[in-house]
Amino acid sequence: MADRLSLAEVNRKLNIGAIEDLDDWAIPIAFIKNENMPNQVNQRPNEDSLQPWRLKERMKTVSVALVLCLNVGVDPPDVIKPHPCARLECWIDPLSMSPQKALEGIGGNLQKQYERWQPRARYKQSLDPTVEDIKKLAVSLRRNAKDERVLFHYNGHGVPRPTVNGEIWVFNKTYTQYIPLSVYDLQSWMWSPSIYVFDCSNAGMIVDSFRQFAEQHEKEYEQLMAQSRGTLPAQMTPAPNFKNCIQLAACGGNQILPMNSELPADLFTSCLTTPIKTALKWYVLQNSRHLVPKITLDLIDKIPGQLSDRRTMLGELNWIFTAITDTVAWNSLPQDVFQRLFRQDLLVASLFRNFLLAERIMRCYDCTPVSSPKLPPTHQHSMWQAWDLALDVCLSQLPAILKGETIYEHSPFFEEQLTAFEVWLSHGSQSKKPEQLPILLQVLLSQVHRLRALQLLGKFLDLGPWAVNLALSVGIFPYVLKLLQSSVKELRPMLIFIWAKILAVDLTHQADLVRDGGHKYFLAALQDPTVPSDQRSLVAFVLARIVWNYSQGQEAALTGSLVSITLEQLQDSDPLLRQWAVIALGKSWENFESARWVGVRDSAHEKLFDLLLDPVPEVRAAALFAIGTFISSVSTRTDHANNIDHGVALKILGTVSQDANVVVRKELVAAFQWVVFAFESSFIQIVCQQIQEEEAAVSLSSLTIDSSSITPMKRSQIRDRVLSTATLGTSPDRLRLLSNGTEFRIPELQLTSSTSLQNLRRTASAHSLNSPSGYLANLQMPFTLSSSGIYHRLWAGLSNLEKDPHPEISNSVRTLCTYIRAKARDQMVSRDVIDASIVRSSSPVLRNPKSGDQVQMERLSPELKGTLVNSKKRKTSVSTLIAEEARPVSISSSEDPNLARPTLETDFIKESCNHFNQPLLEMIDEDKDSMEHYIRDWKFFKNCKIRTGIYEEVRKLSTSRLEEQIFLQKNPYQPTALRFHPYYPWLAVADKSGCSFWDFDTNMRFAYISNQRDARITAADFVNAHDNTLIMLGSDDGSVKIWKENRIINGSFGNESLDKPLLSETTGTSLVTAWQCLPELVPSTRGSGMVLHWDQLRELLIASGDVKIIRLWDANVELKLGDIPTGLDGCVTQISSDRSSGQMILAGFSNGSVGLYDRRKKPQQSQVISWKEHSRWILDSAFLSTSAAGTHIISGSISGEVRIFDVRKSSSVYTLKATSGMTAMTIHPGTDLFACASVNQTVNIYNGRGLVVGCVKFHEGFMGSRISSVASMAFNPYKLQLASGSVDSTIAVFSTGKSIRK
């Protein structure tokens, strides 16, 4: 493949025109943005794969017990210390002063060392204590700490080692005896949560005993619960939970602390509380310090600076140490353990960082520190080498700095680690997380490296939701939250990007942003005109997430003028900014009426109307979402709110109901449901009125005139028939449908043979007004004539959406309409019950006129009359009592599921968020080294070869004829449209029931698409045939559907031949999109139905048929471009466009006319010329591909005449009498060939000179093939192949030089 020419070079050498001269990589692919596209990859984060990073509860160590059992001057009996040996305790030599003073100094130093890590804790020292002292201390600290953590630090250097029974040692009051203290008792006093530090020999033995005693506590508690049958006294201690207890021990259960005189005696404590000093001194003691031989222990104490000042050597070393230990832990521990130990409690995190150092140092002296929970060995982690290098670099400067010869030069550690992280971004993968990510967090603290760190962090987050979750788990959130307080503009682009990435994955941060005022940062950025549009689109997304179902966020945004700020962005040129500005607007007033009225004052709803015709479907859908939340946000209905919502509903229904984009129409239905719910009673009344009118019409149509007997039918039966046909159109249509000869009458009305429809309607109307049910209806649902007209229009529009060609939309609308009809049925049943109750319990109505209440009183039952008399003082109306009497018999929503209010939801907003989970910083092009790219490149090369091969086939026509049958099969029904796939041996055959796909190389039908509608398919074509093939089907009801056949992969790769396609084992079809292309069309068995022409290069769909217009659709934006009036009589039978510019449209008509139109002109002036030389139905017409500058047109009619026209002349320039009667005609789009099928069952193929180059007759010889009368034909656009479809459902393919395949 590498040695062949590129597609562009091939095309340049062949010098072919129109779409053929384009590289297939440059040909657009239509309908790829639709959300129903089967091949679209869902990039939403998988919630199961994302581990929670936010801790359910944060904990704080509030109390610290420092227990020192030193007994200075007296060594324990079980330890023999060498001379010299380690003496320093908290960096104090206890032998250098009196024992008591030394003990107090050591205790004070230890407290100061701990206070550096947790200065706000409550510290209590217990120096050489007794058992009672410890009990009193522990109980007191636990009581004050409540549910917070308590630290117990035990230094047992002056007492014997712990026992195997789980005991540590303390003193008696006179210091004459060592007293054992059971860890079991210590657990009872300290309870949980607690942390224990044991600095003594055999300390690991305490950890083992602690675990055993914890289990014993839990068993005893369970036994106590069982004995008390689950009830314990109120003063009973809560259940033990020692899993929250942490232990740090200096060595294993059989190990003794190191006694090297160069080390402190409390080496473990020194590592935990003074890690930098300990690490530096240990570094000097090592033999590996060849780079800095002049450094001594005395110089270590003279290192300038403070630990908290990162600008100094000591502060930077502390900063580097924190970054390294965090990195070691994050790369070594499971995420849940890391979160618990290094992110839950500041003091615990510091101790465990330092514990990693203790493990590294003490292992050199045959001691292995022990912890619970147990940590994996980390002393040989590669990051410790980076620590050693940092010490070498820094300490090498120390002698010169102390002499004043130079100033401190900062370590390159962080720069080098950022570079390493950048390398990982270029070559790393998700399978191995980046080692330097915790260091990146620490670098954010530095102003020098902050911008670069943010840029690298943004690139990392751009890798996907997994990267965002990983960054959050390492603790990045509080850092980027604090950076929002920065006013440095250079940081703003990356901060905006990072927050967009975070909020796309984790919405819980909205509370933190609002609490800290972070939303103000984004409000200011959105209204800053100097911020580029692409960044403001990210800001709009962040603001939308802040107010996303969060009332505090909505209130804060309203205070910050979010509504007015977002309205200013609606006219921006960036579609993503428009989309998310609108979504933020819709989310800001969702269920928040105050924001809605702020929007009303700014005419927000009117400004959204302009976006309903936006060229980007996502913006249109977002506008409908915002309008939907605008309507649903009203909690208290007023005339002002109703008038606004009436106008909004009419506007969106009239503008968007015919939108070609499925997502937009889904949002229309979702928004319109709030109109239905807001004015539910009015819509119910509309349906009730329709039912009453149709009941009357049905009863009249079913009466038998002059009949001695009338078969009665109950009103409920009439109503069921009416409701079952509620979507059939106008009342006359329903009337014709329902008049099936059934005879019935309405019991309340006595009809004679002279009763007219007008009298019937007047009687029914009068009856409804005089009856209690009619009175109730007028009381409960009053509206003026004008508002009634609005609801009629809205209901009619909603009913039309029930016929939407996309099943998801039609089903959603049907659910909504079924709910309203069910409510109407329930209400009318209740009225019938009231009427029946009154008729049963009342005397005949008197003829003398009475008031309405008097008439109703006579209809009431005796019980109800008594209730009415007793209620006069309460002024209870008759209608109220009637309703109360009828209420028990009404159908409840629990009995009828249709009475439960439905909720229609879409995934548009959630899917829109998916955009921010995909790479945004760089446009990720297709990997040119990937197998997918090679397959497509090979396929495009094959396409080019096929396109250019037709010219060689045309040249061979001089020695061969196009009449050899290569395929013959029986289709299920008579074909109505035939289409060849341009690049594969596939033939699409459309008929009344669907579309079949035949492989004429293998004589196999490999796919079938069902029509799923009563309409007749009259047009078919392949879309994106060069790459991702879709099938377009047009029906005579005006609908167009785009299908994906899942078995079509569009090619093979490797050792396959160029002509052999690849079929997937995945079966079935997927509906990509569907819309009403020509709603004016009426299904009919006669006429041309839907006529389509697809222009792949311009993504233009031209549609016409049994209408007086030619409609243009832009498939890229999925909007109607406009209508061109035909200006000629008859329906359009054929339509095409010129291949060079696509501006000229050619149409043939049923009356024989041929019209040429220029779509660049105004619609009324678009007709360039028309020819009326044909007298009958035009079968086909097209621009001659061999014509210079596309000035010649060919057309043929049923009469058998084929004419060629010059667009510059008013009459034809050539006429061919092909046959006396023609049944079908097709013109080859790439050559001058055309085929004509005659009534005598012969197909002739002609060239541009009128010479016959092929002939297919009814039969040839005794055993020859036979064909029936041809109804449709089609040429393969890039091969000399002709397909024919006959009235007997036979389909055949003819070619040159091939014989029929058996």
Side-chain angles (χ1 to χ4, degrees):
M1 181 175 292
D3 57 355
R4 65 171 171 81
L5 294 175
S6 69
L7 293 178
E9 291 171 339
V10 171
N11 285 332
R12 282 195 297 270
K13 290 179 179 294
L14 294 171
N15 192 25
I16 50 181
I19 196 172
E20 290 82 358
D21 62 355
L22 285 179
D23 191 320
D24 281 15
W25 291 101
I27 299 175
I29 303 178
F31 303 107
I32 61 173
K33 294 182 181 179
N34 194 281
E35 69 166 358
N36 290 328
M37 192 69 183
N39 289 340
Q40 186 179 16
V41 179
N42 189 354
Q43 294 290 336
R44 280 189 298 179
N46 185 356
E47 294 181 0
D48 295 334
S49 64
L50 298 182
Q51 300 180 6
W53 68 270
R54 188 186 289 269
L55 297 170
K56 296 182 180 179
E57 57 179 5
R58 299 196 70 87
M59 201 167 290
K60 184 168 56 177
T61 302
V62 296
S63 299
V64 177
L66 302 178
V67 179
L68 302 180
C69 298
L70 297 179
N71 196 13
V72 177
V74 179
D75 292 334
D78 59 347
V79 176
I80 300 176
K81 294 183 178 181
H83 184 79
C85 69
R87 293 291 182 186
L88 296 180
E89 299 279 354
C90 294
W91 306 107
I92 294 178
D93 185 356
L95 301 181
S96 63
M97 58 190 76
S98 64
Q100 185 60 32
K101 187 176 180 181
L103 183 62
E104 293 175 355
I106 293 170
N109 267 15
L110 181 60
Q111 179 173 333
K112 291 178 182 179
Q113 291 171 188
Y114 266 109
E115 284 177 343
R116 180 183 177 275
W117 306 109
Q118 179 59 285
R120 297 183 180 180
R122 181 182 182 185
Y123 291 89
K124 291 290 185 180
Q125 299 179 26
S126 185
L127 308 178
D128 290 346
T130 63
V131 172
E132 291 300 323
D133 293 336
I134 293 181
K135 179 179 180 181
K136 182 179 179 181
L137 173 64
V139 171
S140 172
L141 293 179
R142 169 51 58 196
R143 182 173 57 249
N144 293 327
K146 298 181 180 179
D147 295 330
E148 297 291 351
R149 183 175 276 127
V150 177
L151 186 146
F152 182 86
H153 182 102
Y154 173 76
N155 183 326
H157 296 173
V159 293
R161 288 176 283 179
T163 67
V164 295
N165 295 327
E167 298 167 323
I168 58 176
W169 297 92
V170 291
F171 303 98
N172 62 0
K173 293 183 178 180
T174 59
Y175 298 100
T176 58
Q177 292 180 343
Y178 299 109
I179 307 298
L181 170 61
S182 174
V183 174
Y184 178 88
D185 295 332
L186 184 61
Q187 285 179 336
S188 303
W189 303 332
M190 292 286 296
W191 212 242
S192 65
S194 301
I195 178 171
Y196 300 83
V197 177
F198 300 109
D199 189 352
C200 59
S201 297
N202 301 132
M205 193 179 298
I206 306 176
V207 176
D208 296 335
S209 301
F210 190 97
R211 187 181 304 110
Q212 297 172 5
F213 290 141
E215 295 175 356
Q216 182 179 345
H217 274 292
E218 293 174 357
K219 290 179 181 179
E220 292 175 353
Y221 182 82
E222 292 174 359
Q223 293 174 358
L224 185 60
M225 287 290 291
Q227 294 174 1
S228 62
R229 298 180 181 179
T231 59
L232 292 176
Q235 67 271 17
M236 180 63 189
T237 307
N241 183 17
F242 294 105
K243 294 180 180 179
N244 288 332
C245 293
I246 300 171
Q247 297 101 50
L248 298 176
C251 59
N254 57 354
Q255 295 177 342
I256 299 176
L257 293 179
M259 300 182 186
N260 190 331
S261 60
E262 295 180 329
L263 301 173
D266 60 346
L267 179 60
F268 184 65
T269 298
S270 298
C271 289
L272 295 183
T273 56
T274 57
I276 303 301
K277 185 175 182 179
T278 306
L280 289 171
K281 288 183 176 291
W282 179 75
Y283 169 81
V284 173
L285 293 175
Q286 301 306 300
N287 296 325
S288 60
R289 53 185 180 87
H290 304 296
L291 296 178
V292 284
K294 298 181 181 180
I295 301 299
T296 62
L297 290 177
D298 295 335
L299 291 180
I300 295 300
D301 294 328
K302 299 178 181 179
I303 294 177
Q306 299 292 328
L307 290 173
S308 57
D309 188 357
R310 293 189 295 270
R311 295 170 299 180
T312 64
M313 179 186 295
L314 192 61
E316 188 170 44
L317 286 173
N318 181 61
W319 185 22
I320 295 173
F321 176 81
T322 302
I324 285 178
T325 50
D326 250 13
T327 302
V328 171
W330 189 71
N331 284 282
S332 304
L333 305 182
Q335 184 169 322
D336 57 338
V337 177
F338 176 81
Q339 290 288 321
R340 178 188 170 196
L341 300 182
F342 287 82
R343 293 296 181 262
Q344 190 182 49
D345 186 327
L346 291 177
L347 179 56
V348 172
S350 300
L351 290 178
F352 268 93
R353 286 193 196 98
N354 304 338
F355 178 81
L356 301 180
L357 174 68
E359 183 194 13
R360 187 188 188 209
I361 293 177
M362 298 191 71
R363 277 179 177 269
C364 295
Y365 302 100
D366 298 327
C367 283
T368 304
V370 179
S371 68
S372 178
K374 185 178 180 180
L375 303 185
T378 60
H379 61 287
Q380 292 182 339
H381 195 278
S382 59
M383 288 304 297
W384 287 120
Q385 298 178 9
W387 168 247
D388 292 339
L389 177 60
L391 290 180
D392 285 339
V393 173
C394 292
L395 294 182
S396 63
Q397 308 176 51
L398 184 59
I401 293 175
L402 293 178
K403 294 177 181 179
E405 297 175 355
T406 183
I407 61 174
Y408 175 63
E409 183 178 345
H410 291 283
S411 170
F413 171 80
F414 288 106
E415 291 183 6
E416 294 169 351
Q417 295 301 315
L418 290 180
T419 302
F421 186 76
E422 192 170 7
V423 171
W424 184 93
L425 288 175
S426 301
H427 304 284
S429 64
Q430 183 178 351
S431 59
K432 184 178 181 180
K433 57 186 181 181
E435 189 177 74
Q436 295 81 14
L437 188 59
I439 298 177
L440 193 69
L441 180 148
Q442 293 292 328
V443 178
L444 292 177
L445 301 173
S446 170
Q447 294 182 357
V448 177
H449 306 297
R450 184 173 295 162
L451 179 59
R452 185 186 178 196
L454 285 175
Q455 292 172 344
L456 294 177
L457 176 60
K459 289 182 179 180
F460 177 69
L461 299 183
D462 204 35
L463 297 178
W466 67 270
V468 176
N469 190 258
L470 209 58
L472 292 175
S473 68
V474 82
I476 212 76
F477 172 72
Y479 293 82
V480 293
L481 179 63
K482 188 175 182 180
L483 284 176
L484 293 179
Q485 303 173 6
S486 173
S487 59
V488 181
K489 290 187 176 182
E490 289 77 12
L491 302 180
R492 184 164 59 185
M494 291 314 303
L495 277 176
I496 292 172
F497 180 84
I498 289 170
W499 272 104
K501 284 293 184 179
I502 291 175
L503 290 176
V505 175
D506 194 335
L507 194 57
T508 61
H509 295 297
Q510 56 187 179
D512 303 280
L513 280 170
V514 173
R515 183 184 64 247
D516 292 1
H519 64 285
K520 298 177 182 178
Y521 184 89
F522 298 101
L523 286 170
L526 185 59
Q527 59 185 331
D528 189 347
T530 63
V531 178
S533 296
D534 58 340
Q535 294 180 23
R536 279 184 285 138
S537 63
L538 296 174
V539 173
F541 169 73
V542 170
L543 290 171
R545 298 293 278 179
I546 289 175
V547 299
W548 199 288
N549 303 329
Y550 184 54
S551 57
Q552 289 89 335
Q554 290 175 315
E555 293 173 358
L558 182 62
T559 305
S561 304
L562 175 64
V563 173
S564 60
I565 294 174
T566 51
L567 288 174
E568 295 173 357
Q569 315 300 320
L570 300 188
Q571 301 304 319
D572 193 90
S573 60
D574 188 346
L576 189 62
L577 174 56
R578 296 198 302 273
Q579 175 186 348
W580 278 101
V582 172
I583 293 176
L585 196 62
K587 281 294 183 180
S588 68
W589 58 42
E590 186 177 23
N591 301 320
F592 188 45
E593 191 171 5
S594 300
R596 168 195 159 106
W597 290 113
V598 172
V600 170
R601 287 193 289 272
D602 289 341
S603 301
H605 56 293
E606 296 178 0
K607 294 177 181 177
L608 290 175
F609 292 160
D610 297 334
L611 299 181
L612 297 179
L613 294 176
D614 193 275
V616 179
E618 290 82 0
V619 178
R620 303 198 297 272
L624 288 167
F625 165 77
I627 289 174
T629 57
F630 178 85
I631 297 173
S632 65
S633 63
V634 178
S635 57
T636 304
R637 282 282 158 192
T638 62
D639 291 340
H640 186 203
N642 291 347
N643 291 335
I644 292 175
D645 291 345
H646 287 161
V648 170
L650 290 172
K651 180 66 176 180
I652 62 174
L653 199 60
T655 306
V656 188
S657 59
Q658 302 300 328
D659 196 291
N661 186 270
V662 174
V663 178
V664 174
R665 297 203 308 282
K666 285 182 180 180
E667 285 302 314
L668 170 65
V669 177
F672 202 83
Q673 70 175 323
W674 304 116
V675 179
V676 174
F677 297 152
F679 307 106
E680 181 176 311
S681 60
S682 300
F683 284 109
I684 292 174
Q685 179 67 1
I686 292 295
V687 175
C688 289
Q689 288 179 352
Q690 289 181 355
I691 294 173
Q692 290 173 353
E693 292 179 2
E694 290 161 357
E695 285 177 354
V698 171
S699 62
L700 177 63
S701 65
S702 301
L703 290 177
T704 302
I705 308 300
D706 297 330
S707 176
S708 58
S709 64
I710 300 178
T711 303
M713 179 179 283
K714 295 181 180 180
R715 181 187 295 176
S716 60
Q717 294 174 310
I718 302 173
R719 184 175 303 121
D720 290 339
R721 296 185 63 187
V722 171
L723 285 169
S724 66
T725 58
T727 63
L728 294 177
T730 60
S731 293
D733 295 332
R734 299 189 183 98
L735 181 60
R736 286 192 295 272
L737 177 71
L738 294 172
S739 57
N740 296 325
T742 305
E743 300 175 6
F744 61 91
R745 64 182 177 86
I746 301 176
E748 293 84 1
L749 301 177
Q750 301 297 327
L751 301 177
T752 64
S753 59
S754 60
T755 303
S756 64
L757 180 60
Q758 290 81 3
N759 292 335
L760 179 64
R761 288 179 174 172
R762 285 198 299 269
T763 306
S765 178
H767 172 75
S768 65
L769 289 175
N770 291 329
S771 67
S773 59
Y775 179 70
L776 281 175
N778 286 287
L779 279 178
Q780 293 175 356
M781 286 170 281
F783 49 79
T784 63
L785 195 58
S786 60
S787 64
S788 174
I790 291 174
Y791 297 125
H792 272 291
R793 292 171 60 188
L794 294 177
W795 180 253
L798 187 63
S799 299
N800 285 334
L801 282 174
E802 281 189 284
K803 307 171 188 177
D804 193 280
H806 198 283
E808 292 184 19
I809 298 175
S810 58
N811 291 339
S812 297
V813 178
R814 192 171 295 115
T815 300
L816 201 57
C817 292
T818 300
Y819 166 72
I820 295 297
R821 293 181 184 118
K823 296 284 284 189
R825 183 191 297 112
D826 182 56
Q827 188 176 92
M828 296 190 72
V829 168
S830 300
R831 294 179 187 176
D832 289 348
V833 172
I834 296 173
D835 288 345
S837 175
I838 294 173
V839 170
R840 288 195 304 269
S841 60
S842 63
S843 58
V845 181
L846 299 179
R847 293 182 179 272
N848 56 324
K850 297 182 179 180
S851 65
D853 284 345
Q854 289 174 328
V855 173
Q856 293 173 14
M857 275 293 292
E858 293 182 3
R859 295 182 177 183
L860 295 177
S861 61
E863 295 82 0
L864 196 56
K865 286 183 181 179
T867 305
L868 179 61
V869 172
N870 295 330
S871 64
K872 285 184 177 180
K873 295 181 180 180
R874 302 193 306 269
K875 299 182 180 181
T876 305
S877 65
V878 176
S879 60
T880 303
L881 292 173
I882 294 172
E884 290 176 354
E885 188 179 59
R887 186 176 296 115
V889 298
S890 64
I891 302 174
S892 65
S893 60
S894 61
E895 297 173 357
D896 187 356
N898 290 329
L899 293 177
R901 175 175 287 186
T903 302
L904 305 179
E905 297 180 351
T906 68
D907 293 330
F908 167 69
I909 299 300
K910 294 180 181 179
E911 292 294 338
S912 296
C913 295
N914 185 35
H915 170 80
F916 298 94
N917 288 323
Q918 299 172 355
L920 300 178
L921 288 178
E922 297 179 0
M923 295 300 295
I924 305 299
D925 296 328
E926 186 176 9
D927 185 4
K928 295 186 178 181
D929 293 328
S930 66
M931 180 60 65
E932 181 182 357
H933 179 85
Y934 281 126
I935 291 176
R936 294 186 72 200
D937 193 47
W938 163 84
K939 181 167 56 179
F940 292 164
F941 176 77
K942 177 187 70 73
N943 293 348
C944 177
K945 184 176 180 180
I946 291 175
R947 286 197 298 266
T948 57
I950 189 172
Y951 300 107
E952 182 63 26
E953 292 191 33
V954 172
R955 285 193 292 269
K956 291 180 180 180
L957 278 178
S958 59
T959 59
S960 62
R961 295 172 66 84
L962 201 164
E963 55 188 22
E964 294 296 328
Q965 182 175 294
I966 63 172
F967 173 76
L968 181 66
Q969 281 292 346
K970 200 80 169 180
N971 199 60
Y973 299 96
Q974 175 184 333
T976 57
L978 302 173
R979 281 294 182 273
F980 279 97
H981 192 286
Y983 306 110
Y984 298 111
W986 298 336
L987 180 66
V989 182
D991 53 49
K992 66 178 183 180
S993 66
C995 186
S996 300
F997 297 90
W998 295 87
D999 186 329
F1000 51 82
D1001 269 2
T1002 61
N1003 274 349
M1004 179 186 69
R1005 189 178 80 162
F1006 64 85
Y1008 178 75
I1009 295 176
S1010 176
N1011 190 17
Q1012 300 179 346
R1013 289 171 75 90
D1014 296 331
R1016 178 171 54 105
I1017 296 178
T1018 58
D1021 207 345
F1022 286 100
V1023 179
N1024 307 331
H1026 67 294
D1027 191 3
N1028 194 356
T1029 299
L1030 304 175
I1031 298 96
M1032 177 187 295
L1033 299 178
S1035 305
D1036 64 355
D1037 64 349
S1039 65
V1040 170
K1041 292 184 177 181
I1042 309 295
W1043 292 88
K1044 174 73 175 180
E1045 167 51 47
N1046 294 331
R1047 291 195 65 201
I1048 300 177
I1049 301 183
N1050 301 319
S1052 59
F1053 184 70
N1055 296 324
E1056 305 286 349
S1057 65
L1058 290 178
D1059 295 328
K1060 184 177 180 181
L1062 183 66
L1063 296 178
S1064 168
E1065 295 181 356
T1066 304
T1067 59
T1069 57
S1070 303
L1071 182 62
V1072 176
T1073 186
W1075 77 98
Q1076 282 298 129
C1077 180
L1078 278 174
E1080 299 87 349
L1081 276 180
V1082 178
S1084 173
T1085 57
R1086 306 185 63 181
S1088 60
M1090 170 81 79
V1091 180
L1092 297 176
H1093 173 72
W1094 169 245
D1095 188 337
Q1096 180 71 50
L1097 189 58
R1098 298 162 188 86
E1099 297 182 89
L1100 177 68
L1101 178 63
I1102 307 173
S1104 191
D1106 294 338
V1107 291
K1108 298 294 184 181
I1109 59 171
I1110 298 172
R1111 181 157 294 165
L1112 307 178
W1113 288 90
D1114 188 338
N1116 183 36
V1117 300
E1118 298 183 84
L1119 278 179
K1120 183 178 73 173
L1121 291 179
D1123 293 336
I1124 298 176
T1126 60
L1128 296 172
D1129 296 333
C1131 62
V1132 176
T1133 61
Q1134 185 280 334
I1135 199 165
S1136 62
S1137 66
D1138 69 303
R1139 306 182 74 198
S1140 58
S1141 67
Q1143 304 294 345
M1144 308 302 293
I1145 298 174
L1146 183 65
F1149 293 83
S1150 59
N1151 64 353
S1153 301
V1154 178
L1156 183 64
Y1157 303 88
D1158 189 343
R1159 66 185 183 95
R1160 294 169 295 186
K1161 294 185 177 182
K1162 295 180 180 179
Q1164 299 300 330
Q1165 304 172 1
S1166 60
Q1167 188 180 94
V1168 177
I1169 191 173
S1170 64
W1171 299 277
K1172 301 181 181 179
E1173 298 186 20
H1174 293 288
S1175 59
R1176 300 180 66 186
W1177 190 288
I1178 299 297
L1179 293 172
D1180 199 5
S1181 63
F1183 290 89
L1184 275 175
S1185 61
T1186 57
S1187 169
T1191 57
H1192 287 80
I1193 291 168
I1194 183 172
S1195 64
S1197 69
I1198 289 180
S1199 61
E1201 293 180 346
V1202 176
R1203 295 180 180 272
I1204 296 179
F1205 301 94
D1206 190 326
V1207 297
R1208 297 163 293 188
K1209 298 180 181 180
S1210 60
S1211 61
S1212 60
V1213 297
Y1214 179 78
T1215 302
L1216 171 67
K1217 186 64 176 179
T1219 181
S1220 59
M1222 196 186 302
T1223 59
M1225 179 182 177
T1226 183
I1227 303 168
H1228 198 288
T1231 68
D1232 60 352
L1233 301 180
F1234 60 92
C1236 303
S1238 64
V1239 293
N1240 60 4
Q1241 300 171 329
T1242 301
V1243 177
N1244 290 322
I1245 298 96
Y1246 300 88
N1247 61 18
R1249 298 187 299 275
L1251 301 177
V1252 177
V1253 296
C1255 179
V1256 181
K1257 297 181 179 180
F1258 174 69
H1259 61 82
E1260 292 180 352
F1262 179 73
M1263 298 296 292
S1265 62
R1266 297 172 178 266
I1267 62 172
S1268 182
S1269 179
V1270 176
S1272 57
M1273 293 191 300
F1275 271 114
N1276 190 322
Y1278 301 128
K1279 290 186 179 181
L1280 289 187
Q1281 293 174 342
L1282 174 67
S1284 66
S1286 306
V1287 294
D1288 63 352
S1289 303
T1290 300
I1291 52 175
V1293 176
F1294 303 91
S1295 184
T1296 59
K1298 291 185 179 181
S1299 60
I1300 186 170
R1301 185 183 296 269
K1302 300 295 184 183

